[in-house]
Each structure stands twice: as structure tokens, then as C-alpha cells.
Amino acid sequence: MDQQMVTRYIAAKRALFDKVYGDLNAMQRQAVFTTEGPLLVLATHQGMMDFLLAFAALRGRKAQFVATMRQFRNPKLHWFYVRMGVIPKVQFATDPRCVMNILRVLKGGGTVVIFPAGQTSMWGVPGNISPAMAHLVKKAGVPVCTLGLRGGFFAAPRFGGLRFGPTEARLDLTFTPDQLKGLSEEEIFATLQDKLDFNEYDWQKETGATFKGSHSIDGVYTNGRAMRYVIVR
């Protein structure tokens, strides 16, 4: 997506940012505004614009995102990632340099946002999360928030096109440093799997959300599984 498209989409979503920010509940406000110092945020990853929803939910904190190194090779987006202080990572592989950069930012009192699945959702449910994420959480020893996003799978799916409709972002303070000291990596991992679980079709059914836009897709098959984007034109 080029710079002009990103700019236009951000402008179109600005009103939704204000709504998301205004709807934060008491726990979310505590997690974002009264937790001083470093903060590690682990977010679900449904669509191509999830970083915008995360940015909205974390309004008031300057966050650095982790993104695949492949994104930096895009000349149209390279400037954007550098300007935002994005931390590059080798996708689907252990990357010691990325881990060091994450810990460096946290040690300096910063906020880091990671999408543990490593890619956007293929069919509206989470991708696999590596147990190594629990090791990072334990090693960092800082407050950890989980960010549950909803609607991104329909609004900006990985197969292209932008569709306008409701999106949600719920931020929860999942671990404090003191809690992490008393938990094993296995216990941390089990909690992360639970907190980062989602089903976009169930969410749409519960909320009655509809999305408007072009390039609707119906009956696309990937890896033998059918996906349907329910779009209202």
C-alpha cells in the first residue's frame, strides 16, 4: 500500500479512533495511563490495518511496533517504518537481534507492540503462537497487556481491498512484574493463548456488524479451507 493510500485510510479512520479511545473501560485506562514505565503489548492480528487500531487503543503512549523485515524492503513503506521506529524481525524464525532491540526499548521505559501470530489471519481465527513468546515475556519482566482487536479481518483482509465498518479494540493488563515472577513459562503461554484467541465470524454474528466496500470475496479457498467475507455493498 503506497503512502497516499495509507494517508487516506488514516484520515477516514480518525473518527473511529476517537470512538475506540472514548470507549476504553476502567481496566484499559489503568493499563494505558497509570502503568508507568515500560509496557509490552501483545495483540491479535486479523487484518492489514491492525496497527492503526493498536495505535488508537494505546493513545497517550509512544509505542514501537515489531514488523517483519520483509516490509522494510518495500520502497513505498520503508520511510514510514523507519519514521515510526518499527523494530524489524525475521518472520517465522528466531531473531536474537530483534529480541535484543525489544529488550533495549523496554529497558529504556518504552512501549513495544508485538503481533505474536506473525501474520494476519487466513480465515478469521488466530494463527499459531510460538511458546518462545512466553520466554520473552518472562525475560522482560515488565507489565504485559493483551490487545484484542475485532473487525480487521473484514475491514482490511490480507487478500486486498478496504471495507468500512465497525472495529473494536480491548486492552487488558494481563501480567504485572510481580505476577510474572510466580508463573512458569508454561502458565504464561496458556494465558496468552486464551487472551489472544478470537473468531471473527462469531464476533460478526454476535454484533451484527456489516462492512461496505468493493472487491468482495466469496468462496475463496486457501489450504483447502473456505473463507467468506460477508460484505454489504
Side-chain angles (χ1 to χ4, degrees):
M1 184 174 295
D2 59 24
Q3 179 179 349
Q4 183 180 10
M5 179 61 78
V6 170
T7 302
R8 289 173 59 189
Y9 191 83
I10 291 176
K13 279 287 188 180
R14 188 164 298 160
L16 290 179
F17 282 2
D18 292 336
K19 183 180 186 303
V20 170
Y21 176 73
D23 288 347
L24 293 179
N25 62 25
M27 176 60 77
Q28 294 166 336
R29 289 183 183 279
Q30 177 186 355
V32 178
F33 300 113
T34 66
T35 300
E36 297 180 354
L39 183 66
L40 179 60
V41 180
L42 306 180
T44 59
H45 203 7
Q46 285 92 319
M48 300 301 290
M49 291 297 173
D50 286 345
F51 76 94
L52 294 177
L53 289 177
F55 173 79
L58 291 167
R59 194 167 178 175
R61 273 184 174 264
K62 182 179 180 181
Q64 290 182 242
F65 290 73
V66 175
T68 173
M69 194 174 293
R70 178 173 54 86
Q71 298 290 348
F72 285 81
R73 301 192 185 104
N74 185 335
K76 295 181 179 179
L77 284 177
H78 181 84
W79 67 272
F80 179 76
Y81 286 114
V82 172
R83 184 175 180 180
M84 294 293 291
V86 173
I87 300 172
K89 181 190 182 302
V90 177
Q91 193 173 29
F92 306 131
T94 301
D95 188 343
R97 179 176 296 182
C98 176
V99 172
M100 287 193 304
N101 286 331
I102 291 171
L103 295 176
R104 174 181 56 80
V105 172
L106 294 174
K107 185 177 180 179
T111 299
V112 177
V113 181
I114 304 175
F115 298 98
Q119 65 177 347
T120 54
S121 176
M122 297 288 286
W123 40 72
V125 295
N128 293 328
I129 300 175
S130 170
M133 189 58 59
H135 179 71
L136 173 62
V137 167
K138 183 78 170 180
K139 184 177 181 63
V142 302
V144 178
C145 286
T146 48
L147 178 61
L149 305 176
R150 299 293 184 270
F153 177 70
F154 300 109
R158 65 182 296 137
F159 299 103
L162 295 176
R163 301 162 184 87
F164 292 92
T167 51
E168 295 180 1
R170 291 193 60 84
L171 186 69
D172 290 308
L173 183 58
T174 305
F175 300 115
T176 65
D178 287 339
Q179 289 173 332
L180 289 174
K181 292 177 183 178
L183 295 173
S184 67
E185 291 184 12
E186 290 75 17
E187 291 171 321
I188 293 172
F189 185 61
T191 299
L192 293 180
Q193 285 186 304
D194 178 63
K195 289 288 187 178
L196 297 175
D197 188 30
F198 65 88
N199 186 308
E200 287 283 76
Y201 289 105
D202 287 348
W203 170 83
Q204 187 188 42
K205 184 177 180 180
E206 292 169 1
T207 62
T210 58
F211 295 80
K212 297 182 179 181
S214 58
H215 306 294
S216 62
I217 305 175
D218 192 2
V220 176
Y221 287 80
T222 300
N223 295 333
R225 299 190 62 169
M227 298 174 291
R228 289 192 304 118
Y229 295 102
V230 182
I231 307 299
V232 177
R233 293 183 180 276

